Structure formats: C-alpha cells, structure tokens
Amino acid sequence: MELPRSVTIREGDLRVLNPIDEAKLATLGRAVKLAPGAELLDLCSGKGELLCTWARDHGITGTGVDISTVFTAAARGRATELGVADRVRFVHGDAAAYVPARPVDVACCVGATWIGGGVPGTLELLDRALRPGGMALVGEPYWRRDPPDEETVVGSHARSRDEFRDLPGLVRLFGECGWDLVEMVLADQDSWDRYAAAHWLNLRRWLDANPDDELAPELRRELTEDPLRYVRFQREHLGWGVFALLRR
C-alpha cells in the first residue's frame, strides 16, 4: 500500500500538498473557529501540515491517515519539529477504511475525494467519523470557466467534463447531500502557481540528480509538457477550495 514514487518526487519538499499556501491554511484554521482540545481526523493527511500547524496554533489534537509511507514519515517529523508530537499522530493506511475509536469534532479530506468515489461518498466517510454537530472539511476542484472542448478538459487533468462542477454546482451538491456550507477558503491563481511551479523545479532537480533512473523518461516528458498545459488550460479553467460543512 503506497503511492507511486513519481508522486513523492513531484511533491519534493513541499509541506502543503494542495494549491493553497501556508497562509491560506492558517486562514482556514481561524475561519472554522477551532476550539482548544478539539479532536480532528484528517483522511489523506499528506505531510501533516494541517494537523501539525493547527495543533500548534489552536491547541487541537488529532490523527492523520495516509497511504504514503514517505508522507507519513514527513508528517511525524513535522510534528516533532513543531513540538506537537504528543498531540497528533499519523497512521500509514487506507484512509477510506479508517474509522476512529471515538467520534471526532472535525473530519477532513482535503484534496482527495477520490477515496469516496467523489464528494458524496467522501462526505459519507467523514460523517461516520463525526460526533453529532461535528464539522466536515472537504477540499475539491471546481470549474472556474466552462471548458470549451475536450482538450481543455484533459489539459486540466480531469477525466471528463462531469468530474468537476462549477462553484455554484458544487455548493448545490453539498446541499443535495444534506450539508450546510458554513465557511470556505479558495485557492487563487497565485497559490495555484506556487503549487504547480514548485513541481517543475522538484522534477528538474530530481532529473539532474537521477538521469539514469527508470522513471527519468516519464518525468522528463512531464516536465516538458506540463508547464504549457498548465498555463493554457488548468490555470484559467480550474479552481480549488476547502469547504466547511455542517450536517443539516
């Protein structure tokens, strides 16, 4: 059970593995009014930046679950670095199958709704972990502009036009699933740029250091093609945000 090696190479030394920067992650923590001692569950927790910084800044506790041993090790190191290793823990495993020992105050899946087959299924996974009145946090792409053709859909890393909704459609979907949207923090083009472009530098540095690796041709092709694809399609058409939801 592990992510492909190309993913960990691409993410490199990034701490936030989504197109919101550390400032927006901090804004989100303040916006949802975290109470000291609140318990969080973060499914697909990546390198643990959400849990670790929120434990430091808001006094929360929590558990992160991720399929990547590399990311889980980085998350544990970050917890130690920030002095919160006694308040957060990180588990290597299948986030979709994880059920906490007791209900939590906040359950998150930020940027990985594939674990539930999309937003509705992921909300069901989060709901089963929440105490009554608990909050779900979901990170999800949406169309900023309607893609005019299939080339734009593929260039935005979508499997189909219907994989994502526009922002009103996504908000409508939350309501159809029985949740109230109570807060949101959206990526902007600058935070998208910082995330996407960091991948290119990580790929180039790795290629320079590993020219004979079996992954080198694949990652060389990605570095050649992805910057143009990003500025032509994804940057203009795809948005991303984290949405705070409460059960109706």
Side-chain angles (χ1 to χ4, degrees):
M1 185 181 296
E2 185 61 83
L3 285 177
R5 189 159 60 101
S6 60
V7 176
T8 59
I9 293 168
R10 189 180 302 114
E11 298 294 347
D13 60 356
L14 290 174
R15 291 202 299 251
V16 180
L17 309 185
N18 285 300
I20 59 171
D21 54 28
E22 294 171 17
K24 286 183 178 290
L25 188 62
T27 296
L28 177 64
R30 293 190 299 270
V32 298
K33 299 178 173 60
L34 295 167
E39 187 171 4
L40 275 69
L41 173 65
D42 190 4
L43 300 181
C44 299
S45 51
K47 296 184 182 179
E49 193 70 2
L50 181 151
L51 276 178
C52 290
T53 56
W54 287 6
R56 178 195 63 192
D57 297 341
H58 301 284
I60 59 96
T61 65
T63 299
V65 185
D66 200 276
I67 198 174
S68 170
T69 55
V70 174
F71 293 167
T72 301
R76 291 170 180 159
R78 184 64 167 156
T80 299
E81 177 186 355
L82 296 186
V84 297
D86 60 333
R87 281 182 271 159
V88 297
R89 70 185 188 105
F90 294 94
V91 177
H92 172 243
D94 179 4
Y98 185 86
V99 180
R102 59 181 179 273
V104 300
D105 301 294
V106 182
C108 317
C109 181
V110 178
T113 58
W114 50 266
I115 67 169
V119 169
T122 300
L123 284 172
E124 291 179 8
L125 295 179
L126 298 177
D127 194 32
R128 76 184 183 187
L130 284 171
R131 65 164 177 78
M135 177 179 289
L137 297 177
V138 175
E140 179 72 358
Y142 58 88
W143 293 117
R144 292 181 63 242
R145 294 183 179 178
D146 186 44
D149 49 37
E150 186 64 18
E151 185 182 18
T152 303
V153 171
V154 173
S156 299
H157 296 291
R159 289 170 294 186
S160 72
R161 183 188 302 264
D162 295 334
E163 182 177 4
F164 308 130
R165 301 191 177 203
D166 62 10
L167 186 55
L170 182 56
V171 172
R172 186 178 303 112
L173 177 61
F174 296 144
E176 291 169 352
C177 292
W179 297 77
D180 286 325
L181 176 63
V182 295
E183 258 294 357
M184 66 182 187
V185 173
L186 303 182
D188 55 26
Q189 286 186 315
D190 183 63
S191 55
W192 259 119
D193 291 348
R194 297 281 47 76
Y195 183 57
H199 289 163
W200 309 332
L201 183 57
N202 288 339
L203 290 173
R204 176 55 193 265
R205 295 292 189 232
W206 184 88
L207 286 165
D208 288 347
N210 301 274
D212 299 322
D213 191 283
E214 64 181 3
L215 279 179
E218 173 190 336
L219 297 186
R220 175 66 260 178
R221 184 167 56 254
E222 179 178 337
L223 179 56
T224 300
E225 297 173 356
D226 195 63
L228 180 58
R229 180 168 52 229
Y230 171 74
V231 298
R232 283 190 65 195
F233 303 116
Q234 185 174 343
R235 190 177 192 271
E236 298 301 319
H237 290 87
L238 199 63
W240 193 89
V242 185
F243 304 90
L245 306 162
L246 293 173
R247 258 293 185 195
R248 289 179 179 167

